[in-house]
Amino acid sequence: MRFFLGVDLGTSSLKIILGNEKGRILGSTSSSFSISSPREGYSEENPQEWVAAFEIALMELIHRFPEIKDAPLTMGFSGQMHSLVLIDKAGNVLRPAILWNDGRTTEEVKELQQLVGEHLLKVEKNIPLEGFTLPKILWVQKHQPELWEKTWKFLLPKDYLVYYLTGKALTEPSDAAGTIMLDIEKQSWDTELLKGLSIPLDKCPEICPSTEIIGEMTSDLKKNFGLTGTVSLVLGGADNACGAFGNISNPKIQGLISVGTSGVVLVYETENNTDNLGKYHYFTSVLNDINYKMGVTLAAGYSLDWIKRLLGSEDSFVTFTKYAEESPIGSLGVTYLPYLFGERSPYFDPSLSGGLFGLKAHHQQSDIIRAVMEGIAFSLRNVYESMEIEKNKIEKFRITGGVVKNPFWLQMFADIFEAEIEVLSFDEGPAYGAMLCAVAGIQEDDLLIKW
């Protein structure tokens, strides 16, 4: 029997899910790692901790499911987008990875907007932002030129894991799009942009399809893990691209809402409508020739955690959010804006501030909690509206994240989005999409099943 693994490298932990060829999810393991913030606005991680987390999670999975040791395995990958890893010719990591939520590149973003802003919007279909990979490369060029000189390849996080497992420096279109160095229409590195910014093409990883088998785990690593069967790999995709692949079954009429620390609204673009570019992200999916529109509310679930701490509540989240049901629609006039970290979509303004408005002496804790929950949902509705999707095109949204455990909040999302909200029977997130990429990599009709 063949088994499939979906590996998701998140911002704080790595998760592996295991499925069989009949589509059943057998189990999952995870291992966490830490974020470093050596200076204000800096957010970094040591890629070796990703490797250690992968090894721990895989060994635990093998211990729990010893039958996979001798079976053929296919791995697919998903991972945090935009974060920058630099390696030399020997494969050594040259500096800690600069993460997607790192804020040091404001000056580089301004320079890019002035120098190539129109070009980026036309070719890469996005505006420069601190989170994207390109500004991080410019920062390294400017502040650590000796490291840039030593750099053999830059990689994205999941692609560094693939490099560790295979020795191949590769990426695929969905993660490459998030660097804002990919020509979206040609699906290749934008050589004109790279030349103008003194980024040698040979420092970029080769781009391969998301669901193509790109190689096998090295024999030494297989021996270390005690694996005797073939272990083939596909690159998979960026976390949101894999999340959509794993949740959306009909790209023409379904959208995705994800509510974690941040919130995401994602819709596949099947009509090639790129009106209003710059108010949302426009990236490549793991599906051939299909792109997607996406917007982000930075402090979604984080807002609920923040207000819980602010109110000094020691209740569980289930009990805490239950109080909101005591407040009527509209929270008796209390309004919440979730801009605790500035805001991404559709304003792209790091200076924005959050706020609770309309507070009066008669308001209770229940009104404030409901206002925060409403504010998060309305913010994501605002993100959706900025995409200018054809009216009534999206008939229903699949929703993922902590919100799926809260029927009251799910109903609130359905009311605010004026759409049907669906919850899958499992909520494995991007790891499931990564596993589906692994399934798609096996070109046998009997394995290309409806998961």
Side-chain angles (χ1 to χ4, degrees):
M1 178 181 290
R2 179 181 293 275
F3 293 93
F4 299 92
L5 286 79
V7 181
D8 177 43
L9 174 57
T11 307
S12 58
S13 66
L14 179 141
K15 181 178 186 178
I16 304 178
I17 64 171
L18 174 69
N20 63 21
E21 55 191 1
K22 294 184 179 181
R24 180 186 174 195
I25 296 177
L26 303 176
S28 66
T29 58
S30 64
S31 182
S32 60
F33 40 82
S34 59
I35 297 175
S36 171
S37 183
R39 292 176 56 182
E40 182 179 357
Y42 283 33
S43 183
E44 300 180 341
E45 285 177 348
N46 180 357
Q48 295 306 317
E49 292 193 19
W50 304 339
V51 170
F54 173 84
E55 292 175 344
I56 291 170
L58 182 58
M59 289 302 293
E60 182 181 344
L61 201 68
I62 293 170
H63 176 74
R64 289 173 54 192
F65 301 93
E67 61 269 31
I68 70 177
K69 292 177 69 174
D70 304 319
L73 306 177
T74 305
M75 292 185 181
F77 295 80
S78 68
Q80 51 168 296
M81 297 178 70
H82 316 307
S83 303
L84 176 67
V85 182
L86 302 177
I87 61 173
D88 64 16
K89 287 185 177 180
N92 300 310
V93 176
L94 294 173
R95 69 168 331 281
I98 304 177
L99 301 191
W100 60 273
N101 57 355
D102 186 283
R104 76 185 71 182
T105 58
T106 298
E107 290 304 314
E108 286 71 29
V109 167
K110 291 178 181 177
E111 292 172 13
L112 285 168
Q113 188 60 53
Q114 293 172 357
L115 292 173
V116 292
E118 292 184 8
H119 178 95
L120 288 171
L121 203 56
K122 179 181 178 181
V123 179
E124 278 68 26
K125 311 297 184 186
N126 286 281
I127 61 174
L129 296 171
E130 284 83 354
F132 294 158
T133 315
L134 177 56
K136 304 181 198 306
I137 289 177
L138 297 191
W139 185 92
V140 172
Q141 286 180 327
K142 184 187 301 182
H143 296 278
Q144 297 176 334
E146 71 287 354
L147 294 184
W148 181 246
E149 185 65 27
K150 293 178 182 178
T151 296
W152 172 58
K153 299 288 183 183
F154 81 82
L155 294 171
L156 288 307
K158 77 174 192 326
D159 303 323
Y160 176 73
L161 269 185
V162 172
Y163 175 77
Y164 151 72
L165 293 169
T166 66
K168 296 182 178 182
L170 307 171
T171 193
E172 44 69 48
S174 70
D175 241 351
T179 67
I180 61 166
M181 294 184 284
L182 182 78
D183 185 321
I184 295 290
E185 294 179 0
K186 295 180 179 178
Q187 294 287 279
S188 62
W189 295 117
D190 183 352
T191 53
E192 179 183 345
L193 176 72
L194 296 179
K195 184 177 180 181
L197 297 174
S198 301
I199 300 174
L201 180 60
D202 62 9
K203 289 186 186 290
C204 302
E206 178 186 350
I207 299 174
C208 297
S210 295
T211 57
E212 180 182 282
I213 299 292
I214 55 86
E216 295 188 4
M217 182 185 292
T218 64
S219 56
D220 286 346
L221 283 177
K222 282 178 57 179
K223 184 177 180 180
N224 291 343
F225 289 119
L227 300 172
T228 60
T230 59
V231 184
S232 54
L233 282 75
V234 304
L235 290 170
D239 53 4
N240 287 303
C242 282
F245 190 40
N247 281 274
I248 295 176
S249 56
N250 188 338
K252 292 185 177 180
I253 63 170
Q254 292 174 342
L256 176 70
I257 300 172
S258 175
V259 184
T261 301
S262 61
V264 171
V265 179
L266 185 153
V267 175
Y268 282 110
E269 185 44 69
T270 56
E271 307 296 332
N272 198 28
N273 174 15
T274 55
D275 293 343
N276 222 18
L277 277 174
K279 287 195 173 182
Y280 50 83
H281 305 325
Y282 190 78
F283 293 141
T284 300
S285 76
V286 299
L287 300 167
N288 290 336
D289 303 318
I290 297 181
N291 299 323
Y292 63 87
K293 296 178 176 180
M294 185 187 87
V296 179
T297 290
L298 290 176
Y302 182 88
S303 289
L304 205 54
D305 180 66
W306 171 78
I307 199 65
K308 184 175 182 294
R309 286 186 282 108
L310 206 65
L311 294 174
S313 173
E314 296 183 359
D315 292 321
S316 68
F317 268 99
V318 172
T319 301
F320 183 73
T321 53
K322 193 77 175 174
Y323 293 129
E325 299 180 32
E326 301 171 7
S327 181
I329 294 174
S331 308
L332 291 180
V334 181
T335 300
Y336 174 68
L337 300 180
Y339 308 139
L340 300 180
F341 302 117
E343 191 52 292
R344 184 76 69 85
S345 312
Y347 306 112
F348 302 107
D349 186 350
S351 69
L352 289 182
S353 299
L356 277 165
F357 300 93
L359 289 169
K360 299 286 187 179
H362 66 276
H363 285 126
Q364 304 294 317
Q365 173 180 257
S366 58
D367 304 313
I368 294 173
I369 297 171
R370 177 165 188 142
V372 170
M373 297 171 73
E374 288 180 341
I376 295 165
F378 273 114
S379 179
L380 288 170
R381 171 64 190 257
N382 187 31
V383 167
Y384 175 59
E385 289 180 348
S386 73
M387 298 178 184
E388 295 192 348
I389 304 299
E390 182 182 342
K391 187 171 177 61
N392 298 326
K393 174 188 172 185
I394 302 302
E395 298 177 5
K396 60 186 68 176
F397 284 90
R398 296 276 173 86
I399 195 164
T400 184
V403 64
V404 303
K405 300 175 183 178
N406 191 317
F408 175 72
W409 209 8
L410 287 174
Q411 184 61 55
M412 187 184 294
F413 269 95
D415 295 339
I416 289 173
F417 273 78
E418 300 177 285
E420 185 177 344
I421 298 290
E422 291 185 334
V423 177
L424 298 185
S425 59
F426 56 89
D427 187 34
E428 296 291 353
Y432 184 64
M435 189 172 73
L436 290 184
C437 287
V439 175
I442 303 299
Q443 300 299 318
E444 299 177 26
D445 292 341
D446 61 328
L447 292 183
L448 292 176
I449 56 179
K450 291 286 186 181
W451 286 62

